[in-house]
């Protein structure tokens, strides 16, 4: 077993102790197969903003398997607010997290909070797909640092935002950030009650 795969297995064990369901996969294709087999047929599936899901081609795979898919990335900006509210009431939600500690703490930073809201409440089943690149060897502070230094700059550049972190060699400077994406920081110390949360840890670099 590779060192990275062993670290993911330890992380999965920590997640289970925190009340999550967790599984480890060597490839994104294996994780996709599991998700398709595990998900009840014909369910409506909503997505949070998620490069990992896009790289895994999950919306198309789910549609091909007979699921209805709700994803605000696929509609015009004017249609997004209504779709985001509809997604909160979907029975199944798929997203990622921005960082994962080896002791099972999941941390995400959101702009408008739709993703973390769905992870906390609403959909009965949430699948969180996480690549090995989001694993940090440390606690909450290291997780937030990874998000601010790695995920946020890439997301800002993808969206064409004029933020300090998006500039070449830039750093996070909140007081100078007029169009910040970092409105809400959520850490999941235990699985939210009243719902099923399944974390898929994948031994590939995926998303930001």
């Amino acid at each position: 077993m590779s060192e990275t795969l062993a670290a993911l297995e330890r992380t999965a064990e920590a997640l289970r102790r925190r009340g999550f369901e967790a599984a480890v996969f060597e490839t994104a294709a294996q994780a996709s197969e599991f998700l398709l087999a595990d998900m009840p047929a014909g369910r409506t599936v909503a997505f949070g903003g998620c490069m990992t899901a896009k790289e895994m081609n999950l919306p198309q795979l789910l549609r091909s398997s007979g699921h209805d898919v709700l994803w605000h990335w696929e509609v015009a900006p004017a249609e997004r607010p209504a779709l985001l509210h509809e997604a909160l009431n979907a029975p199944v939600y798929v997203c990622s997290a921005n960082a994962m500690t080896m002791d099972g703490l999941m941390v995400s930073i959101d702009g408008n909070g739709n993703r973390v809201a769905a992870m906390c409440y609403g959909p009965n089943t949430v699948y969180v797909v996480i690549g090995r690149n989001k694993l940090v060897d440390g606690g909450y502070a290291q997780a937030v640092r990874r998000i601010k230094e790695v995920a946020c700059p890439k997301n800002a550049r993808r969206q064409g935002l004029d933020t300090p972190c998006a500039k070449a060699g830039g750093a996070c400077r909140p007081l100078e950030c007029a169009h910040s994406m970092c409105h809400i920081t959520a850490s999941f110390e235990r699985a939210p009650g009243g719902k099923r949360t399944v974390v898929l840890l994948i031994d590939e670099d995926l998303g930001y």
Side-chain angles (χ1 to χ4, degrees), residues 2 4 11 16 25 45 49 53 77 85 101 110 112 119 121 130-131 150 155 157 166-167 197:
S2 70
T4 307
T11 303
R16 295 181 194 114
F25 303 91
V45 183
H85 282 285
T101 70
D110 265 13
N112 57 28
M119 293 173 76
Y121 193 79
I130 300 176
V150 179
N155 264 316
R157 286 191 286 269
K167 297 178 173 62
T197 303

Side-chain angles (χ1 to χ4, degrees), residues 72-89:
H72 62 284
W73 278 8
E74 298 178 336
V75 301
E79 301 175 44
R80 289 177 184 175
L83 189 61
L84 290 173
H85 282 285
E86 187 178 355
L88 287 174
N89 293 313

Side-chain angles (χ1 to χ4, degrees), residues 61-120:
L61 290 173
L62 288 167
R63 287 191 176 104
S64 298
S65 298
H67 298 278
D68 292 326
V69 170
L70 305 175
W71 201 7
H72 62 284
W73 278 8
E74 298 178 336
V75 301
E79 301 175 44
R80 289 177 184 175
L83 189 61
L84 290 173
H85 282 285
E86 187 178 355
L88 287 174
N89 293 313
V92 181
Y93 197 82
V94 178
C95 62
S96 188
N98 298 120
M100 168 68 74
T101 70
M102 291 189 193
D103 64 352
L105 184 70
M106 250 188 326
V107 183
S108 287
I109 291 180
D110 265 13
N112 57 28
N114 62 292
R115 173 181 51 149
V116 297
M119 293 173 76
C120 294

Side-chain angles (χ1 to χ4, degrees), residues 80-181:
R80 289 177 184 175
L83 189 61
L84 290 173
H85 282 285
E86 187 178 355
L88 287 174
N89 293 313
V92 181
Y93 197 82
V94 178
C95 62
S96 188
N98 298 120
M100 168 68 74
T101 70
M102 291 189 193
D103 64 352
L105 184 70
M106 250 188 326
V107 183
S108 287
I109 291 180
D110 265 13
N112 57 28
N114 62 292
R115 173 181 51 149
V116 297
M119 293 173 76
C120 294
Y121 193 79
N124 293 325
T125 302
V126 175
Y127 294 94
V128 188
V129 287
I130 300 176
R132 65 189 177 192
N133 50 311
K134 298 184 179 183
L135 199 63
V136 299
D137 186 10
Y140 174 81
Q142 287 74 22
V144 171
R145 180 176 179 179
R146 189 238 170 233
I147 298 170
K148 295 282 191 175
E149 294 183 357
V150 179
C152 287
K154 291 181 179 180
N155 264 316
R157 286 191 286 269
R158 176 181 62 83
Q159 297 179 54
L161 297 179
D162 183 22
T163 61
C165 70
K167 297 178 173 62
C172 180
R173 295 193 292 274
L175 296 180
E176 302 173 26
C177 195
H179 302 97
S180 174
M181 302 176 298

Side-chain angles (χ1 to χ4, degrees), residues 10-83:
R10 291 195 299 272
T11 303
E13 291 175 6
L15 284 163
R16 295 181 194 114
R17 290 194 295 270
R18 293 175 181 266
F20 296 93
E21 294 183 35
V24 176
F25 303 91
E26 293 186 10
T27 67
Q30 291 171 351
S32 298
E33 289 176 8
F34 168 87
L35 193 151
L36 290 170
D38 187 73
M39 192 178 296
R43 292 292 182 92
T44 296
V45 183
F47 282 81
C50 185
M51 284 300 299
T52 299
K54 183 176 181 179
E55 291 172 2
M56 293 173 66
N57 200 35
L58 288 179
Q60 290 77 11
L61 290 173
L62 288 167
R63 287 191 176 104
S64 298
S65 298
H67 298 278
D68 292 326
V69 170
L70 305 175
W71 201 7
H72 62 284
W73 278 8
E74 298 178 336
V75 301
E79 301 175 44
R80 289 177 184 175
L83 189 61

